[in-house]
Amino acid sequence: MSKEQLKQAQQFIEAIPHAKALGMEITEISDGIAQLEMDYDARFVGDSETGVISGGAVSALMDTCCGAAVMSHPDVAGATATIDLRIDYMRGATPGERVIARAEVYHLTRTVAFVRAKSYDNDRANPVATATGAFTAEKKA
Amino acid sequence: MSRPRPEPVQVVKQRRDAALTALAHSIPYCEFLGIQFERRGDELTGIMTFQESNIGNPMLPALHGGATAAFLEIASLIGLSWSTLWEDMESGVLSLDELEQGHLPRLPKTIDFTVDYLRSGLPRDAYARARVNRSGRRYASVHVEAWQDRRDKLFAQATGHFLMPAPMGS
């Protein structure tokens, strides 16, 4: 993965208004794998009692990360859309810490990309959430 | 046979609206996404007012799947919390003072959430209503539907499982 590729990918992410609003940063992109990160922000909190980030904000990060993984796949042509996404929440992300999502396309058919993702904060041994989803894809002829 | 005289309408409304406001304010992410709730009796409708920052595909344009997922999840959480809060509020376990000060039961925690994207979300307001299919002592299952222009033409739906908070005062 070259610096140039990463810069292009970051420009792509920033062209998505919702990803830009959440301050998403792409830190890895290659052949069906993507890593996206998001800083803690008081506006993203889902429970003011605890200060834990909303599950919805983590979903947005994982959804974008899965989409980026699909588009980075060498056999996929053009854009993608989410068909279905299931998120399992293992624990609340620690308030103040950056959330990192990593997604991989584990299977590609002519029309569908099957994707898995995991999210972490500083504690890399305990994921915050995992996701599995199906995304629309057009396989290159 | 006699029944107690019903409370004046404004007293009932004030208490219920205070509870709903306090509930929505306990989730700061609602404001970031432009989510509000409307109430008709105990029925709630979530409204996600359109804003440019919720766009995920600027070419179409369409709402971001993540904004839609968050809207559905918040509508489920508020709907579930509301259904349990309702009993405590109507029976007087929670007083108006407490509600206005934001003394609410803890929010349920999402265990898992599965979103079904039926069509792309248009760049306009979206609505959602949640239905609690089962609410036990510890776990709950909630289904939620979202639409835009036409109520019977859903653009997304979801099912989620939630861990219920311990009852108040325990």
Side-chain angles (χ1 to χ4, degrees):
Chain A
M1 169 181 54
S2 71
K3 274 220 160 101
E4 190 52 36
Q5 268 177 306
L6 208 55
K7 202 176 137 201
Q8 275 180 12
Q10 183 62 27
Q11 279 169 351
F12 176 80
I13 293 294
E14 281 176 19
I16 303 170
H18 195 58
K20 192 174 177 341
L22 286 160
M24 291 182 197
E25 198 188 319
I26 194 155
T27 47
E28 194 184 325
I29 185 97
S30 66
D31 300 358
I33 290 175
Q35 184 169 295
L36 254 74
E37 310 190 7
M38 180 176 82
D39 271 333
Y40 181 83
D41 189 312
R43 295 171 303 159
F44 308 160
V45 167
D47 185 345
S48 51
E49 278 293 293
T50 59
V52 168
I53 290 279
S54 170
V58 178
S59 298
L61 182 70
M62 299 229 271
D63 183 60
T64 313
C65 192
C66 288
V70 175
M71 291 181 70
S72 76
H73 197 286
D75 298 335
V76 171
T80 179
T82 318
I83 298 170
D84 134 279
L85 190 69
R86 174 191 164 116
I87 316 255
D88 291 306
Y89 297 99
M90 276 79 209
R91 63 180 176 95
T94 307
E97 292 185 8
R98 196 169 165 86
V99 181
I100 300 158
R102 200 177 163 80
E104 60 154 343
V105 176
Y106 67 92
H107 189 76
L108 181 69
T109 72
R110 271 186 301 132
T111 46
V112 182
F114 295 92
V115 191
R116 269 195 281 259
K118 260 187 193 177
S119 283
Y120 303 89
D121 53 19
N122 293 352
D123 177 5
R124 292 303 197 104
N126 289 303
V128 164
T130 61
T132 49
F135 286 73
T136 64
E138 198 188 313
K139 199 169 182 175
K140 281 179 189 162
Chain B
M1 281 287 283
S2 70
R3 62 180 172 96
R5 202 178 158 71
E7 293 175 290
V9 63
Q10 63 272 26
V11 172
V12 175
K13 273 195 179 165
Q14 194 187 0
R15 183 178 59 226
R16 293 176 183 172
D17 290 339
L20 184 55
T21 306
L23 200 53
H25 283 169
S26 69
I27 307 183
Y29 200 47
C30 276
E31 197 188 318
F32 182 79
L33 294 173
I35 299 171
Q36 286 169 313
F37 287 85
E38 273 188 6
R39 184 185 69 79
R40 298 284 180 277
D42 73 340
E43 183 197 60
L44 293 188
T45 308
I47 300 154
M48 185 165 76
T49 306
F50 175 70
Q51 51 188 31
E52 195 60 36
S53 59
N54 286 352
I55 288 288
N57 183 331
M59 304 301 282
L60 288 174
L63 294 179
H64 194 287
T68 301
F71 177 43
L72 291 171
E73 192 187 330
I74 287 171
S76 304
L77 269 174
I78 298 268
L80 178 59
S81 219
W82 178 251
S83 68
T84 53
L85 187 61
W86 181 267
E87 309 295 331
D88 286 345
M89 181 175 60
E90 297 300 298
S91 65
V93 171
L94 278 168
S95 71
L96 178 61
D97 275 358
E98 285 180 300
L99 293 172
E100 283 181 337
Q101 285 165 29
H103 288 171
L104 291 169
R106 299 292 304 272
L107 284 169
K109 286 196 169 73
T110 315
I111 299 168
D112 61 64
F113 202 70
T114 307
V115 186
D116 186 2
Y117 295 93
L118 303 169
R119 41 175 67 80
S120 67
L122 300 167
R124 60 188 71 149
D125 293 0
Y127 311 100
R129 269 188 209 141
R131 185 182 71 229
V132 178
N133 282 329
R134 149 114 182 130
S135 175
R137 211 160 39 83
R138 294 175 73 170
Y139 309 107
S141 175
V142 183
H143 183 79
V144 58
E145 297 182 337
W147 71 96
Q148 294 190 298
D149 301 311
R150 277 173 46 197
R151 175 66 182 92
D152 58 358
K153 217 176 134 194
L154 304 180
F155 80 100
Q157 61 181 356
T159 301
H161 296 95
F162 298 85
L163 194 60
M164 300 304 286
M168 285 191 97
S170 72

